[in-house]
Amino acid sequence: MQYQSRSQQVIKAWEDFVSTPLDVLLNQHINTSPERVLLNLFHDVATHVPAYQAFLAASSIHPDSIQSFADFQKLPAIAKENYISRYSLRELCRNGQLEGCDMIAASSGSTGKPTFWPRFLIDELQIATRFEQIFHDSFAADSKPTLAVICFTLGTWVGGMFTTNCCRYLASKGYPITVITPGNNKDEILRVVQEIGDNFAQVVLLGYPPFLKDVIDTGTARAVDWQRYQIKFVMAGEVFSEEWRSLVGERVGSQNPCYDFASLYGTADAGVLGNETPLSICIRRFLAQNPDAAKALFKESRLPTLVQYDPVSRFFEVENGQLLFSGNNGIPLIRYNILDTGGIISYDAMLQFLADWGFNPLENLSHNSRGIHQLPFVYVFGRSNFTVSYFGANIYPENVTVGLEQPVIKEWVTGKFVLQVKEDEQKNWFLSVVVELAPDVEASEDKRQAIAASILTQLLRLNGEFANYVPKEYQTPQVMLAPMGDREYFPIGVKHRYTRR
């Protein structure tokens, strides 16, 4: 009976997905109260998920006391440390049954030990709507034969398999999309595009931004005529500049960056949380050209990722400057803190703010009505726990520390360093590590190379995402040695920060 019920759930979810037009899916928040959906999710999780039952009991919270959104907002947030890592995988699933999910993905933690994230087909179908939004609104792939080239890492890592499945679901819904999965094999990607790309009206490359740029640059060096393939991009995992988008767009002959690119805001924890739209890209490009407006909106002198989201599928809150979200998954998450700093802005508030600055994005997109939906915005600066993101891999200071604690190396350094991702003049990204030398130790090329090699060895050993996501030619960090107390990187008397953005 249990399996019969499961099959019925799949049949209904599949029928709803393939038969419901995109506009209806994107407008469900207008006729449905996101707060009511949220409260229903809470009570379902509190009833059926053993881990969350124990979590509430430990906080002396009775589920029946949560009857309003105001009540909901008083619930303690969950995170990996106080929830995911504290309970078994089975306890985190509905009814304590891991077999209720049909797939498991992995993401690396700070020690490189993976966290496992089970999910079921139904979970992927709701995420497939985010891909449909991109392929329909941005790429017009409902009417153009499209080759989707999966350039994310394949295997247990979440990006490749999840993206592949979602693209295939769109093909099953009737989109003329064909999927091929070279993964992050650059030579195979270039072979695929050149040998079969001419069979399609457009080719979509899906992967991490720096890797996709590397694919484009390598192809150009090998005389690939990118313009003939009408290249589009779906990206995830990195905050990039609008200058970067313009540069990559120029190299493939993009005529309209607002409709040729789309970035996903997603996590292994819960799939895709939001996505760039032509509207959000148009707004972000205006803000990039008007830094005073950007600072007035975001309260910082840096440009975050800006996406729109469906509050019925993923509900966002902001607490102490950090984003919390709730959503249904193989492991349902209630007020989950993924340690991303950012904020939320309603659709009307965003348009009013822009009007106050003399800009109307709807006029700029008036030639194409696709991509304009009255969905709220979420902006994301990135992780607040001192990680840096590089080719989609979270790089942690703890990994670098181990590299500096090896024999011989530890005699040369204080243990302080600054980790950051930088761009060179060609807009290629590289991993920079500035290391503070111990007193009376002089810098030398031999020391610099030895330290870089030690850091690389430990990154490969400890961080599975780094080893699998980052192409080999970009893995070796560029190390700079600085004297103790260097004013720029290691000022004396100032609390040290191990990462910069």
Side-chain angles (χ1 to χ4, degrees), residues 310-322:
D310 178 1
V312 173
S313 174
R314 294 291 182 266
F315 192 95
F316 277 100
E317 302 170 79
V318 180
E319 190 172 89
N320 300 321
Q322 293 187 323

Side-chain angles (χ1 to χ4, degrees), residues 292-454:
D292 290 342
K295 188 169 185 179
L297 182 63
F298 303 125
K299 314 304 181 189
E300 291 206 30
S301 298
R302 52 179 176 150
L303 196 63
T305 295
L306 179 67
V307 303
Q308 290 183 276
Y309 69 99
D310 178 1
V312 173
S313 174
R314 294 291 182 266
F315 192 95
F316 277 100
E317 302 170 79
V318 180
E319 190 172 89
N320 300 321
Q322 293 187 323
L323 293 170
L324 308 181
F325 76 85
S326 302
N328 202 2
N329 312 279
I331 294 179
L333 299 171
I334 302 293
R335 306 198 82 221
Y336 185 62
N337 187 347
I338 49 176
L339 303 178
D340 277 344
T341 57
I344 52 180
I345 306 170
S346 71
Y347 178 86
D348 290 338
M350 176 66 84
L351 291 190
Q352 183 59 58
F353 172 86
L354 295 170
D356 293 342
W357 284 83
F359 180 65
N360 184 350
L362 303 184
E363 290 181 355
N364 284 54
L365 300 174
S366 60
H367 66 286
N368 191 339
S369 62
R370 295 193 184 205
I372 300 175
H373 299 282
Q374 296 184 26
L375 293 167
F377 296 83
V378 59
Y379 60 90
V380 189
F381 286 112
R383 293 294 169 92
S384 59
N385 61 347
F386 308 120
T387 66
V388 299
S389 182
Y390 185 51
F391 285 84
N394 290 322
I395 310 242
Y396 302 84
E398 293 89 340
N399 303 155
V400 177
T401 296
V402 176
L404 298 179
E405 292 175 340
Q406 299 305 303
V408 181
I409 303 293
K410 63 184 179 182
E411 307 299 330
W412 299 340
V413 301
T414 65
K416 287 185 179 180
F417 59 90
V418 174
L419 174 68
Q420 59 190 137
V421 175
K422 292 184 174 181
E423 286 183 350
D424 62 21
E425 294 180 355
Q426 300 301 315
K427 298 292 184 181
N428 292 314
W429 294 5
F430 62 93
L431 190 63
S432 167
V433 185
V434 182
V435 178
E436 185 180 51
L437 290 170
D440 301 321
V441 174
E442 294 184 359
S444 70
E445 181 61 15
D446 288 343
K447 289 188 180 72
R448 192 192 68 79
Q449 291 186 13
I451 291 171
S454 181

Side-chain angles (χ1 to χ4, degrees), residues 106-109 111-116 157:
S107 66
S108 289
T111 64
K113 181 181 178 180
T115 299
F116 293 108
W157 312 105

Side-chain angles (χ1 to χ4, degrees), residues 76-338:
I78 62 174
K80 279 189 178 180
E81 290 74 17
N82 72 347
Y83 187 68
I84 301 299
S85 300
R86 187 166 294 182
Y87 300 97
S88 70
L89 204 54
R90 284 189 171 277
E91 291 174 313
L92 293 165
C93 298
R94 275 188 174 80
N95 302 312
Q97 296 177 333
L98 181 58
E99 60 270 24
C101 300
D102 65 356
M103 195 156 191
I104 298 176
S107 66
S108 289
S110 59
T111 64
K113 181 181 178 180
T115 299
F116 293 108
W117 300 100
R119 63 181 186 270
F120 189 47
L121 170 67
I122 294 173
D123 303 317
E124 293 184 336
L125 289 177
Q126 61 177 326
I127 301 303
T129 300
R130 306 280 72 78
F131 285 87
E132 183 177 6
Q133 190 177 353
I134 291 171
F135 276 81
H136 180 278
D137 288 353
S138 298
F139 305 155
D142 55 320
S143 60
K144 296 179 180 179
T146 300
L147 178 66
V149 184
I150 309 301
C151 306
F152 289 108
T153 306
L154 301 173
T156 58
W157 312 105
V158 67
M161 295 302 297
F162 211 141
T163 302
T164 299
N165 289 346
C166 289
C167 288
R168 294 191 73 189
Y169 299 150
L170 296 187
S172 298
K173 190 169 181 175
Y175 286 76
I177 295 172
T178 303
V179 184
I180 191 165
T181 57
N184 62 344
N185 183 326
K186 190 164 50 178
D187 291 335
E188 186 68 2
I189 294 168
L190 294 174
R191 186 180 73 85
V192 162
V193 172
Q194 292 179 93
E195 291 193 12
I196 64 176
D198 285 329
N199 294 289
F200 300 87
Q202 59 187 355
V203 174
V204 180
L205 302 179
L206 302 96
Y208 296 113
F211 180 70
L212 293 182
K213 180 181 180 296
D214 188 30
V215 169
I216 298 302
D217 290 348
T218 301
T220 300
R222 298 181 187 179
V224 175
D225 181 8
W226 289 112
Q227 295 191 31
R228 70 187 291 175
Y229 303 112
Q230 298 297 307
I231 299 293
K232 315 293 182 187
F233 298 93
V234 176
M235 304 165 294
E238 316 283 347
V239 179
F240 52 84
S241 67
E242 288 305 317
E243 290 82 1
W244 183 94
R245 196 193 310 262
S246 295
L247 174 64
V248 174
E250 290 170 4
R251 293 184 177 178
V252 299
S254 169
Q255 299 299 309
N256 193 338
C258 292
Y259 286 89
D260 293 341
F261 291 79
S263 185
L264 304 167
Y265 171 36
T267 69
D269 319 43
V272 178
L273 305 176
N275 55 277
E276 281 191 328
T277 62
L279 177 59
S280 74
I281 295 174
C282 180
I283 293 170
R284 191 173 189 262
R285 291 177 74 79
F286 166 77
L287 295 171
Q289 295 296 318
N290 296 270
D292 290 342
K295 188 169 185 179
L297 182 63
F298 303 125
K299 314 304 181 189
E300 291 206 30
S301 298
R302 52 179 176 150
L303 196 63
T305 295
L306 179 67
V307 303
Q308 290 183 276
Y309 69 99
D310 178 1
V312 173
S313 174
R314 294 291 182 266
F315 192 95
F316 277 100
E317 302 170 79
V318 180
E319 190 172 89
N320 300 321
Q322 293 187 323
L323 293 170
L324 308 181
F325 76 85
S326 302
N328 202 2
N329 312 279
I331 294 179
L333 299 171
I334 302 293
R335 306 198 82 221
Y336 185 62
N337 187 347
I338 49 176

